PDB file of all heavy atoms in Angstrom:
ATOM      1  N   PHE A  35      72.761  -4.289  80.018  1.00 95.00           N
ATOM      2  CA  PHE A  35      73.138  -2.926  79.717  1.00 95.00           C
ATOM      3  C   PHE A  35      74.346  -2.892  78.782  1.00 95.00           C
ATOM      4  O   PHE A  35      75.183  -3.781  78.796  1.00 95.00           O
ATOM      5  CB  PHE A  35      73.542  -2.194  81.008  1.00 95.00           C
ATOM      6  CG  PHE A  35      72.512  -2.213  82.092  1.00 95.00           C
ATOM      7  CD1 PHE A  35      72.350  -3.319  82.910  1.00 95.00           C
ATOM      8  CD2 PHE A  35      71.712  -1.109  82.315  1.00 95.00           C
ATOM      9  CE1 PHE A  35      71.409  -3.343  83.928  1.00 95.00           C
ATOM     10  CE2 PHE A  35      70.768  -1.105  83.329  1.00 95.00           C
ATOM     11  CZ  PHE A  35      70.619  -2.225  84.133  1.00 95.00           C
ATOM     12  N   TYR A  37      77.209   0.132  78.434  1.00 96.00           N
ATOM     13  CA  TYR A  37      77.721   1.421  78.859  1.00 96.00           C
ATOM     14  C   TYR A  37      78.840   1.830  77.900  1.00 96.00           C
ATOM     15  O   TYR A  37      79.604   0.997  77.435  1.00 96.00           O
ATOM     16  CB  TYR A  37      78.265   1.361  80.288  1.00 96.00           C
ATOM     17  CG  TYR A  37      77.217   1.536  81.360  1.00 96.00           C
ATOM     18  CD1 TYR A  37      76.371   0.486  81.705  1.00 96.00           C
ATOM     19  CD2 TYR A  37      77.063   2.755  82.012  1.00 96.00           C
ATOM     20  CE1 TYR A  37      75.406   0.651  82.695  1.00 96.00           C
ATOM     21  CE2 TYR A  37      76.089   2.925  82.995  1.00 96.00           C
ATOM     22  CZ  TYR A  37      75.268   1.870  83.321  1.00 96.00           C
ATOM     23  OH  TYR A  37      74.306   2.050  84.294  1.00 96.00           O
ATOM     24  N   GLN A  39      82.155   4.532  77.483  1.00 96.00           N
ATOM     25  CA  GLN A  39      83.068   5.404  78.218  1.00 96.00           C
ATOM     26  C   GLN A  39      84.024   6.065  77.235  1.00 96.00           C
ATOM     27  O   GLN A  39      84.875   5.398  76.643  1.00 96.00           O
ATOM     28  CB  GLN A  39      83.843   4.612  79.274  1.00 96.00           C
ATOM     29  CG  GLN A  39      84.739   5.472  80.137  1.00 96.00           C
ATOM     30  CD  GLN A  39      85.487   4.659  81.175  1.00 96.00           C
ATOM     31  OE1 GLN A  39      85.618   3.448  81.092  1.00 96.00           O
ATOM     32  NE2 GLN A  39      86.004   5.338  82.184  1.00 96.00           N
ATOM     33  N   ALA A  44      83.449   9.438  82.551  1.00 92.00           N
ATOM     34  CA  ALA A  44      82.785   8.369  83.292  1.00 92.00           C
ATOM     35  C   ALA A  44      81.971   7.501  82.340  1.00 92.00           C
ATOM     36  O   ALA A  44      81.517   7.960  81.294  1.00 92.00           O
ATOM     37  CB  ALA A  44      81.861   8.971  84.341  1.00 92.00           C
ATOM     38  N   PRO A  45      81.763   6.252  82.683  1.00 94.00           N
ATOM     39  CA  PRO A  45      80.856   5.416  81.889  1.00 94.00           C
ATOM     40  C   PRO A  45      79.450   6.001  81.907  1.00 94.00           C
ATOM     41  O   PRO A  45      78.981   6.501  82.935  1.00 94.00           O
ATOM     42  CB  PRO A  45      80.889   4.068  82.608  1.00 94.00           C
ATOM     43  CG  PRO A  45      82.148   4.076  83.402  1.00 94.00           C
ATOM     44  CD  PRO A  45      82.368   5.496  83.798  1.00 94.00           C
ATOM     45  N   LEU A  47      75.297   5.240  80.429  1.00 94.00           N
ATOM     46  CA  LEU A  47      74.391   4.238  79.896  1.00 94.00           C
ATOM     47  C   LEU A  47      74.097   4.503  78.430  1.00 94.00           C
ATOM     48  O   LEU A  47      73.750   5.619  78.038  1.00 94.00           O
ATOM     49  CB  LEU A  47      73.091   4.239  80.691  1.00 94.00           C
ATOM     50  CG  LEU A  47      72.049   3.226  80.242  1.00 94.00           C
ATOM     51  CD1 LEU A  47      72.562   1.805  80.454  1.00 94.00           C
ATOM     52  CD2 LEU A  47      70.733   3.447  80.993  1.00 94.00           C
ATOM     53  N   ARG A  50      69.638  -0.304  77.476  1.00 94.00           N
ATOM     54  CA  ARG A  50      69.193  -1.165  78.558  1.00 94.00           C
ATOM     55  C   ARG A  50      68.067  -2.057  78.044  1.00 94.00           C
ATOM     56  O   ARG A  50      67.191  -1.581  77.298  1.00 94.00           O
ATOM     57  CB  ARG A  50      68.678  -0.353  79.733  1.00 94.00           C
ATOM     58  CG  ARG A  50      68.143  -1.173  80.894  1.00 94.00           C
ATOM     59  CD  ARG A  50      67.522  -0.280  81.954  1.00 94.00           C
ATOM     60  NE  ARG A  50      67.212  -1.007  83.180  1.00 94.00           N
ATOM     61  CZ  ARG A  50      66.095  -1.679  83.393  1.00 94.00           C
ATOM     62  NH1 ARG A  50      65.164  -1.694  82.470  1.00 94.00           N
ATOM     63  NH2 ARG A  50      65.896  -2.304  84.536  1.00 94.00           N
ATOM     64  N   TYR A  90      81.241  -1.247  77.494  1.00 96.00           N
ATOM     65  CA  TYR A  90      81.069  -2.298  78.490  1.00 96.00           C
ATOM     66  C   TYR A  90      79.677  -2.903  78.380  1.00 96.00           C
ATOM     67  O   TYR A  90      78.678  -2.181  78.330  1.00 96.00           O
ATOM     68  CB  TYR A  90      81.205  -1.750  79.904  1.00 96.00           C
ATOM     69  CG  TYR A  90      82.607  -1.425  80.346  1.00 96.00           C
ATOM     70  CD1 TYR A  90      83.016  -0.113  80.514  1.00 96.00           C
ATOM     71  CD2 TYR A  90      83.517  -2.440  80.638  1.00 96.00           C
ATOM     72  CE1 TYR A  90      84.291   0.188  80.948  1.00 96.00           C
ATOM     73  CE2 TYR A  90      84.801  -2.142  81.070  1.00 96.00           C
ATOM     74  CZ  TYR A  90      85.173  -0.823  81.216  1.00 96.00           C
ATOM     75  OH  TYR A  90      86.449  -0.532  81.654  1.00 96.00           O
ATOM     76  N   SER A 100      72.330  -6.880  95.677  1.00 63.00           N
ATOM     77  CA  SER A 100      72.618  -5.463  95.693  1.00 63.00           C
ATOM     78  C   SER A 100      72.180  -4.779  94.413  1.00 63.00           C
ATOM     79  O   SER A 100      72.317  -3.583  94.283  1.00 63.00           O
ATOM     80  CB  SER A 100      74.129  -5.275  95.838  1.00 63.00           C
ATOM     81  OG  SER A 100      74.787  -5.775  94.695  1.00 63.00           O
ATOM     82  N   TRP A 101      71.704  -5.544  93.445  1.00 72.00           N
ATOM     83  CA  TRP A 101      71.446  -5.042  92.108  1.00 72.00           C
ATOM     84  C   TRP A 101      72.689  -4.345  91.565  1.00 72.00           C
ATOM     85  O   TRP A 101      72.606  -3.340  90.884  1.00 72.00           O
ATOM     86  CB  TRP A 101      70.236  -4.102  92.072  1.00 72.00           C
ATOM     87  CG  TRP A 101      68.965  -4.866  92.227  1.00 72.00           C
ATOM     88  CD1 TRP A 101      68.303  -5.139  93.373  1.00 72.00           C
ATOM     89  CD2 TRP A 101      68.219  -5.502  91.185  1.00 72.00           C
ATOM     90  NE1 TRP A 101      67.180  -5.885  93.115  1.00 72.00           N
ATOM     91  CE2 TRP A 101      67.103  -6.136  91.793  1.00 72.00           C
ATOM     92  CE3 TRP A 101      68.388  -5.596  89.799  1.00 72.00           C
ATOM     93  CZ2 TRP A 101      66.163  -6.849  91.051  1.00 72.00           C
ATOM     94  CZ3 TRP A 101      67.441  -6.295  89.068  1.00 72.00           C
ATOM     95  CH2 TRP A 101      66.342  -6.918  89.695  1.00 72.00           C
ATOM     96  N   GLN A 102      73.835  -4.926  91.905  1.00 78.00           N
ATOM     97  CA  GLN A 102      75.065  -4.365  91.368  1.00 78.00           C
ATOM     98  C   GLN A 102      75.161  -4.683  89.897  1.00 78.00           C
ATOM     99  O   GLN A 102      74.518  -5.606  89.397  1.00 78.00           O
ATOM    100  CB  GLN A 102      76.277  -4.971  92.088  1.00 78.00           C
ATOM    101  CG  GLN A 102      76.496  -6.445  91.752  1.00 78.00           C
ATOM    102  CD  GLN A 102      77.629  -7.063  92.540  1.00 78.00           C
ATOM    103  OE1 GLN A 102      77.534  -7.263  93.736  1.00 78.00           O
ATOM    104  NE2 GLN A 102      78.718  -7.361  91.857  1.00 78.00           N
ATOM    105  N   LEU A 103      75.967  -3.916  89.208  1.00 86.00           N
ATOM    106  CA  LEU A 103      76.271  -4.190  87.818  1.00 86.00           C
ATOM    107  C   LEU A 103      77.461  -5.125  87.760  1.00 86.00           C
ATOM    108  O   LEU A 103      78.475  -4.886  88.413  1.00 86.00           O
ATOM    109  CB  LEU A 103      76.595  -2.901  87.075  1.00 86.00           C
ATOM    110  CG  LEU A 103      75.422  -2.022  86.671  1.00 86.00           C
ATOM    111  CD1 LEU A 103      75.923  -0.674  86.175  1.00 86.00           C
ATOM    112  CD2 LEU A 103      74.587  -2.701  85.598  1.00 86.00           C
ATOM    113  N   PHE A 105      80.138  -6.308  85.185  1.00 91.00           N
ATOM    114  CA  PHE A 105      80.642  -5.847  83.905  1.00 91.00           C
ATOM    115  C   PHE A 105      81.482  -6.900  83.204  1.00 91.00           C
ATOM    116  O   PHE A 105      82.157  -7.709  83.842  1.00 91.00           O
ATOM    117  CB  PHE A 105      81.522  -4.610  84.101  1.00 91.00           C
ATOM    118  CG  PHE A 105      80.771  -3.357  84.453  1.00 91.00           C
ATOM    119  CD1 PHE A 105      80.509  -3.041  85.771  1.00 91.00           C
ATOM    120  CD2 PHE A 105      80.333  -2.503  83.462  1.00 91.00           C
ATOM    121  CE1 PHE A 105      79.820  -1.889  86.100  1.00 91.00           C
ATOM    122  CE2 PHE A 105      79.647  -1.345  83.777  1.00 91.00           C
ATOM    123  CZ  PHE A 105      79.386  -1.036  85.099  1.00 91.00           C
ATOM    124  N   SER A 107      84.776  -7.292  80.507  1.00 92.00           N
ATOM    125  CA  SER A 107      86.095  -6.662  80.570  1.00 92.00           C
ATOM    126  C   SER A 107      86.233  -5.457  79.642  1.00 92.00           C
ATOM    127  O   SER A 107      87.239  -4.755  79.696  1.00 92.00           O
ATOM    128  CB  SER A 107      87.177  -7.693  80.247  1.00 92.00           C
ATOM    129  OG  SER A 107      86.907  -8.297  78.997  1.00 92.00           O
TER     130      SER A 107
ATOM    131  N   TYR B  31      71.166   3.561  96.872  1.00 92.00           N
ATOM    132  CA  TYR B  31      72.328   2.739  96.600  1.00 92.00           C
ATOM    133  C   TYR B  31      73.493   3.577  96.086  1.00 92.00           C
ATOM    134  O   TYR B  31      73.335   4.421  95.199  1.00 92.00           O
ATOM    135  CB  TYR B  31      72.007   1.673  95.549  1.00 92.00           C
ATOM    136  CG  TYR B  31      71.323   0.443  96.097  1.00 92.00           C
ATOM    137  CD1 TYR B  31      69.939   0.407  96.263  1.00 92.00           C
ATOM    138  CD2 TYR B  31      72.060  -0.686  96.442  1.00 92.00           C
ATOM    139  CE1 TYR B  31      69.314  -0.719  96.758  1.00 92.00           C
ATOM    140  CE2 TYR B  31      71.437  -1.815  96.934  1.00 92.00           C
ATOM    141  CZ  TYR B  31      70.060  -1.836  97.093  1.00 92.00           C
ATOM    142  OH  TYR B  31      69.444  -2.951  97.586  1.00 92.00           O
ATOM    143  N   TYR B  33      77.902   2.953  95.128  1.00 95.00           N
ATOM    144  CA  TYR B  33      78.876   1.905  94.825  1.00 95.00           C
ATOM    145  C   TYR B  33      80.270   2.510  94.623  1.00 95.00           C
ATOM    146  O   TYR B  33      80.394   3.651  94.181  1.00 95.00           O
ATOM    147  CB  TYR B  33      78.495   1.181  93.520  1.00 95.00           C
ATOM    148  CG  TYR B  33      77.097   0.626  93.474  1.00 95.00           C
ATOM    149  CD1 TYR B  33      76.020   1.430  93.125  1.00 95.00           C
ATOM    150  CD2 TYR B  33      76.859  -0.711  93.762  1.00 95.00           C
ATOM    151  CE1 TYR B  33      74.735   0.917  93.069  1.00 95.00           C
ATOM    152  CE2 TYR B  33      75.569  -1.234  93.702  1.00 95.00           C
ATOM    153  CZ  TYR B  33      74.520  -0.412  93.357  1.00 95.00           C
ATOM    154  OH  TYR B  33      73.253  -0.934  93.309  1.00 95.00           O
ATOM    155  N   GLN B  37      88.707   0.467  88.163  1.00 94.00           N
ATOM    156  CA  GLN B  37      88.850   0.159  86.749  1.00 94.00           C
ATOM    157  C   GLN B  37      90.304  -0.124  86.438  1.00 94.00           C
ATOM    158  O   GLN B  37      91.192   0.685  86.724  1.00 94.00           O
ATOM    159  CB  GLN B  37      88.358   1.321  85.894  1.00 94.00           C
ATOM    160  CG  GLN B  37      88.420   1.035  84.394  1.00 94.00           C
ATOM    161  CD  GLN B  37      87.866   2.189  83.581  1.00 94.00           C
ATOM    162  OE1 GLN B  37      88.173   3.350  83.823  1.00 94.00           O
ATOM    163  NE2 GLN B  37      87.023   1.852  82.605  1.00 94.00           N
ATOM    164  N   GLY B  40      91.740  -4.393  80.994  1.00 73.00           N
ATOM    165  CA  GLY B  40      91.623  -5.840  80.867  1.00 73.00           C
ATOM    166  C   GLY B  40      90.714  -6.483  81.902  1.00 73.00           C
ATOM    167  O   GLY B  40      90.358  -7.657  81.777  1.00 73.00           O
ATOM    168  N   GLY B  42      88.001  -4.485  83.311  1.00 85.00           N
ATOM    169  CA  GLY B  42      86.752  -3.747  83.352  1.00 85.00           C
ATOM    170  C   GLY B  42      86.559  -3.056  84.680  1.00 85.00           C
ATOM    171  O   GLY B  42      87.513  -2.634  85.336  1.00 85.00           O
ATOM    172  N   LEU B  45      83.476  -4.273  91.417  1.00 92.00           N
ATOM    173  CA  LEU B  45      82.842  -3.685  92.587  1.00 92.00           C
ATOM    174  C   LEU B  45      83.655  -3.932  93.843  1.00 92.00           C
ATOM    175  O   LEU B  45      83.984  -5.082  94.165  1.00 92.00           O
ATOM    176  CB  LEU B  45      81.436  -4.258  92.757  1.00 92.00           C
ATOM    177  CG  LEU B  45      80.631  -3.694  93.914  1.00 92.00           C
ATOM    178  CD1 LEU B  45      80.306  -2.218  93.671  1.00 92.00           C
ATOM    179  CD2 LEU B  45      79.344  -4.493  94.092  1.00 92.00           C
ATOM    180  N   TYR B  48      79.640  -1.448  98.457  1.00 94.00           N
ATOM    181  CA  TYR B  48      78.428  -0.724  98.139  1.00 94.00           C
ATOM    182  C   TYR B  48      77.645  -0.466  99.426  1.00 94.00           C
ATOM    183  O   TYR B  48      77.946  -1.027 100.490  1.00 94.00           O
ATOM    184  CB  TYR B  48      77.569  -1.452  97.107  1.00 94.00           C
ATOM    185  CG  TYR B  48      76.955  -2.758  97.584  1.00 94.00           C
ATOM    186  CD1 TYR B  48      75.660  -2.795  98.068  1.00 94.00           C
ATOM    187  CD2 TYR B  48      77.680  -3.938  97.504  1.00 94.00           C
ATOM    188  CE1 TYR B  48      75.100  -3.988  98.484  1.00 94.00           C
ATOM    189  CE2 TYR B  48      77.123  -5.134  97.911  1.00 94.00           C
ATOM    190  CZ  TYR B  48      75.837  -5.158  98.403  1.00 94.00           C
ATOM    191  OH  TYR B  48      75.283  -6.344  98.818  1.00 94.00           O
ATOM    192  N   ASP B  59      82.878  -7.448  95.244  1.00 89.00           N
ATOM    193  CA  ASP B  59      83.637  -8.595  94.741  1.00 89.00           C
ATOM    194  C   ASP B  59      85.113  -8.561  95.118  1.00 89.00           C
ATOM    195  O   ASP B  59      85.755  -9.599  95.233  1.00 89.00           O
ATOM    196  CB  ASP B  59      83.512  -8.661  93.216  1.00 89.00           C
ATOM    197  CG  ASP B  59      82.077  -8.883  92.776  1.00 89.00           C
ATOM    198  OD1 ASP B  59      81.345  -9.608  93.484  1.00 89.00           O
ATOM    199  OD2 ASP B  59      81.686  -8.334  91.733  1.00 89.00           O
ATOM    200  N   PHE B  90      85.832   4.646  90.486  1.00 97.00           N
ATOM    201  CA  PHE B  90      84.566   5.298  90.163  1.00 97.00           C
ATOM    202  C   PHE B  90      83.550   5.045  91.265  1.00 97.00           C
ATOM    203  O   PHE B  90      83.405   3.933  91.747  1.00 97.00           O
ATOM    204  CB  PHE B  90      83.994   4.772  88.845  1.00 97.00           C
ATOM    205  CG  PHE B  90      84.722   5.263  87.623  1.00 97.00           C
ATOM    206  CD1 PHE B  90      85.685   4.479  87.019  1.00 97.00           C
ATOM    207  CD2 PHE B  90      84.431   6.508  87.088  1.00 97.00           C
ATOM    208  CE1 PHE B  90      86.356   4.921  85.886  1.00 97.00           C
ATOM    209  CE2 PHE B  90      85.100   6.966  85.957  1.00 97.00           C
ATOM    210  CZ  PHE B  90      86.066   6.165  85.364  1.00 97.00           C
ATOM    211  N   ALA B  97      66.560   1.941  87.326  1.00 71.00           N
ATOM    212  CA  ALA B  97      66.861   1.582  85.945  1.00 71.00           C
ATOM    213  C   ALA B  97      68.305   1.815  85.547  1.00 71.00           C
ATOM    214  O   ALA B  97      68.756   1.280  84.542  1.00 71.00           O
ATOM    215  CB  ALA B  97      65.954   2.366  85.001  1.00 71.00           C
ATOM    216  N   GLU B  98      69.051   2.577  86.301  1.00 82.00           N
ATOM    217  CA  GLU B  98      70.349   3.022  85.789  1.00 82.00           C
ATOM    218  C   GLU B  98      71.283   3.383  86.922  1.00 82.00           C
ATOM    219  O   GLU B  98      70.865   3.878  87.964  1.00 82.00           O
ATOM    220  CB  GLU B  98      70.126   4.257  84.903  1.00 82.00           C
ATOM    221  CG  GLU B  98      71.356   4.827  84.256  1.00 82.00           C
ATOM    222  CD  GLU B  98      71.040   6.002  83.372  1.00 82.00           C
ATOM    223  OE1 GLU B  98      69.846   6.256  83.105  1.00 82.00           O
ATOM    224  OE2 GLU B  98      71.991   6.692  82.937  1.00 82.00           O
ATOM    225  N   GLN B  99      72.590   3.127  86.691  1.00 88.00           N
ATOM    226  CA  GLN B  99      73.614   3.628  87.599  1.00 88.00           C
ATOM    227  C   GLN B  99      74.249   4.872  86.976  1.00 88.00           C
ATOM    228  O   GLN B  99      74.522   4.901  85.779  1.00 88.00           O
ATOM    229  CB  GLN B  99      74.687   2.569  87.859  1.00 88.00           C
ATOM    230  CG  GLN B  99      74.234   1.496  88.822  1.00 88.00           C
ATOM    231  CD  GLN B  99      75.379   0.659  89.371  1.00 88.00           C
ATOM    232  OE1 GLN B  99      76.539   1.074  89.346  1.00 88.00           O
ATOM    233  NE2 GLN B  99      75.046  -0.521  89.885  1.00 88.00           N
ATOM    234  N   GLY B 102      80.310   8.848  88.807  1.00 96.00           N
ATOM    235  CA  GLY B 102      81.073  10.053  88.977  1.00 96.00           C
ATOM    236  C   GLY B 102      82.212  10.108  87.977  1.00 96.00           C
ATOM    237  O   GLY B 102      82.423   9.156  87.219  1.00 96.00           O
TER     238      GLY B 102
END
Side-chain angles (χ1 to χ4, degrees):
Chain A
F35 305 80
Y37 276 78
Q39 184 180 18
L47 180 64
R50 178 186 190 274
Y90 285 109
S100 65
W101 287 92
Q102 70 184 70
L103 282 170
F105 288 89
S107 55
Chain B
Y31 278 85
Y33 306 83
Q37 183 177 46
L45 182 67
Y48 67 96
D59 297 325
F90 286 98
E98 182 178 350
Q99 283 195 20

